[in-house]
Amino acid sequence: MSNVGQSWGRYPQANQLIIPVTDRHAALPVSAGSMLPHGNGRSYGDSCLNDGGSLLHTRHLDRFMAFDPLSGILECEAGVLLSEILDLVVPQGWFLPVTPGTKFVTVGGAIGNDVHGKNHHKAGTFGRHVLEFELLRSDGSRRLCSPRENPEWFAATVGGLGLTGLICRAKIQLRRVAGPWMSCEICRFDDLPGFFSLSQASDRDYEYTVAWIDCASQGNALGRGIFTRANHAPAHPDFRPGAPSRCLRVPLTPPISLINPLSLGAFNSLYYHRQREGVRHVTTHYEPHFYPLDGVAEWNRIYGPRGFLQYQCVVPPAAALDCVESLVKTIAKSKQGSFLAVLKQFGDVASPGMLSFPRPGTTLALDFPHRGASTLSLLDRLDEIVASAGGAVYPAKDARMPARFFKQYFPAWETFSHYIDPKFSSSFWRRVTE
Ligand SMILES: Cc1cc2nc3c(=O)[nH]c(=O)nc-3n(C[C@H](O)[C@H](O)[C@H](O)COP(=O)(O)OP(=O)(O)OC[C@H]3O[C@@H](n4cnc5c(N)ncnc54)[C@H](O)[C@@H]3O)c2cc1C
């Protein structure tokens, strides 16, 4: 089946053959061109696309093999979604050790990008909690990979962008929880130094910390935002699960982006001021806490037919305040940012993958409606700031970083390239290395 495919950002487009993988015991299909494993397509740019080649669609690899409710060790096929794991394990008192901001990603995709969550400062990345996986190569060989067995293949495949082979199944260590509830505290900060001092004061006692920033505000209000810190709530007899929240859907793609400087400025200001001074305490279900966007199906359509670009960078601790300030100034001046602007401190837990993105420092993630040359030139300016501070940009969210910056951000790329399956490639990899 040939398909004009897109990733979550709906930019760029790719022409690729979709090959469903249904049996983890079978060899990989014989394909004339290059292949790339595909999870649930929740990456934003072109790292999950393979223009002119094939995608190995893994969602049918959706079986659970084992779950031990005493140890919290789960074994499943690589196409299982994190949402399916949560449905199985939360009622038994377990939770994902690390989760990104959507639960609709597969285990294979979570390993392929070595994803991170709001608890990076405590738990590091997803790959740190993977006990082992099976890697199938196009020559028919299979390798069991873990931090002890074939450790170099483990390090190449965690965060390896799907290029080292197909992960068929994986074993993950979950973490204990008392129930589905989160105990959260929410407060406003007036500027970027406010964000840094709240992070510093919170990261020791709170497992999850993250901030939204108003990327439209300038002057004294530059970098103002809302900080959220949370822990899993202890069991409490009064907490009763409510009815599952209704899922809304964006019914069609509007002809133009609904995000523009006017709607953004007004919305951000309203959102910021709705949060009163002081700290607000709430106990909430884990779903709205971790996955607020999952409640609106196909929200990525609001940016119109041209789609959008997400930009996520990390900058090292010593340069963080100055650097985030110049990034936010540049974005505010351009009047191109979006409502989705997230700021978080990564901790110093080492990432296990050769090409893992998370590293100590401050990470900023934003969506930009794709307005053509003006958006691309803004992102080029952000690159200059990030690169000269010694930072990096996240491949899972990228559709345009120049090859020279990729090589600077990920100096292990050459060593990594020895582990690439000769039949595997991606639009991203060709763009940043050729
Ligand atoms: C709303 C939203 C919020 C997000 N928040 C975060 C966040 O907080 N932190 C974060 O890190 N990311 C975040 N992301 C990005 C997302 O978590 C990653 O892009 C994730 O890797 C997507 O997984 P997927 O199953 O959709 O895989 P895909 O996007 O289809 O693929 C991702 C990569 O994994 C490879 N891959 C997939 N399956 C396999 C397999 N079986 N074997 C080998 N390789 C495989 C692919 O080749 C590709 O390179 C977010 C995305 C969205 C849409």
Side-chain angles (χ1 to χ4, degrees):
M1 170 180 38
S2 184
N3 180 36
V4 178
Q6 298 168 330
S7 62
W8 192 247
R10 308 179 76 234
Y11 171 84
Q13 300 221 327
N15 241 311
Q16 46 210 354
L17 193 72
I18 308 288
I19 307 178
V21 181
T22 50
D23 179 0
R24 75 172 189 276
H25 303 292
L28 289 177
V30 180
S31 151
S34 66
M35 301 182 274
L36 181 73
H38 189 78
N40 204 30
R42 270 355 192 228
S43 301
Y44 285 75
D46 56 359
S47 65
C48 64
L49 300 178
N50 189 18
D51 194 27
S54 312
L55 289 186
L56 302 173
H57 215 274
T58 60
R59 271 293 286 134
H60 298 291
L61 297 179
D62 59 357
R63 292 165 196 85
F64 286 100
M65 271 103 83
F67 174 55
D68 177 0
L70 288 179
S71 65
I73 294 176
L74 173 97
E75 189 176 4
C76 65
E77 292 184 337
V80 168
L81 292 175
L82 299 189
S83 60
E84 294 164 342
I85 296 180
L86 289 167
D87 289 346
L88 174 76
V89 305
V90 174
Q92 302 187 61
W94 293 91
F95 201 76
L96 294 164
V98 165
T99 176
T102 172
K103 60 181 178 167
F104 299 126
V105 315
T106 61
V107 167
I111 298 173
N113 276 322
D114 196 15
V115 298
H116 59 272
K118 298 180 173 88
N119 61 348
H120 182 272
H121 60 286
K122 295 277 190 201
T125 59
F126 191 86
R128 285 186 58 88
H129 308 273
V130 174
L131 303 175
E132 62 176 46
F133 55 76
E134 185 183 67
L135 187 69
L136 171 61
R137 303 265 293 179
S138 61
D139 62 5
S141 64
R142 288 174 190 267
R143 278 185 184 80
L144 195 64
C145 306
S146 77
R148 272 177 212 87
E149 198 161 350
N150 293 309
E152 68 289 7
W153 286 94
F154 184 84
T157 302
V158 173
L161 303 166
L163 295 166
T164 62
L166 183 88
I167 301 164
C168 302
R169 61 181 174 86
K171 219 182 244 186
I172 305 158
Q173 176 65 62
L174 304 174
R175 56 99 69 224
R176 266 215 178 279
V177 289
W181 303 99
M182 303 298 300
S183 170
C184 312
E185 293 182 8
I186 304 159
C187 54
R188 250 164 54 171
F189 52 91
D190 298 332
D191 50 21
L192 287 173
F195 161 77
F196 283 97
S197 54
L198 269 168
S199 281
Q200 205 177 20
S202 309
D203 280 357
R204 203 195 60 185
D205 296 334
Y206 295 84
E207 188 170 346
Y208 303 98
T209 58
V210 73
W212 165 84
I213 61 162
D214 174 2
C215 67
S217 63
Q218 303 199 50
N220 286 344
L222 185 90
R224 70 181 178 183
I226 296 176
F227 192 86
T228 304
R229 53 194 184 197
N231 285 317
H232 290 277
H236 195 292
D238 293 343
F239 298 156
R240 293 268 175 272
S245 50
R246 222 157 41 99
C247 189
L248 307 172
R249 172 175 295 275
V250 177
L252 46 82
T253 305
I256 52 163
S257 168
L258 299 182
I259 308 295
N260 58 50
L262 261 184
S263 65
L264 177 71
F267 192 84
N268 276 12
S269 177
L270 203 72
Y271 186 75
Y272 175 79
H273 288 290
R274 232 192 54 178
Q275 171 67 36
R276 300 219 180 88
E277 301 269 358
V279 178
R280 190 159 59 92
H281 298 255
V282 283
T283 302
T284 176
H285 193 268
Y286 73 81
E287 298 235 7
H289 174 74
F290 288 108
Y291 313 116
L293 291 168
D294 285 349
V296 185
E298 298 187 65
W299 61 262
N300 55 343
R301 288 175 159 191
I302 60 170
Y303 292 98
R306 295 177 88 169
F308 66 104
L309 294 123
Q310 161 125 164
Y311 190 86
Q312 181 169 359
C313 61
V314 56
V315 290
L321 177 56
D322 288 349
C323 191
V324 175
E325 194 173 288
S326 36
L327 290 168
V328 177
K329 263 187 193 157
T330 310
I331 294 160
K333 221 167 114 194
S334 76
K335 300 198 187 320
Q336 289 201 54
S338 86
F339 172 70
L340 297 165
V342 174
L343 196 57
K344 150 127 200 92
Q345 290 287 60
F346 280 154
D348 52 14
V349 185
S351 298
M354 286 180 196
L355 295 188
S356 294
F357 162 72
R359 57 203 73 187
T362 307
T363 183
L364 174 67
L366 296 110
D367 290 347
F368 296 93
H370 194 352
R371 299 205 178 100
S374 66
T375 308
L376 296 173
S377 92
L378 166 66
L379 300 183
D380 287 346
R381 296 203 293 283
L382 302 186
D383 275 349
E384 296 294 340
I385 300 169
V386 172
S388 60
V393 169
Y394 192 8
K397 312 262 180 102
D398 179 69
R400 36 65 56 200
M401 80 168 96
R404 71 193 158 102
F405 284 145
F406 172 76
K407 292 173 180 170
Q408 176 184 325
Y409 303 148
F410 298 94
W413 74 274
E414 263 180 306
T415 312
F416 167 81
S417 60
H418 301 304
Y419 295 90
I420 296 180
D421 188 301
K423 292 290 283 180
F424 280 32
S425 184
S426 70
S427 297
F428 174 85
W429 192 254
R430 290 188 292 277
R431 179 167 62 77
V432 298
T433 58
E434 282 169 7

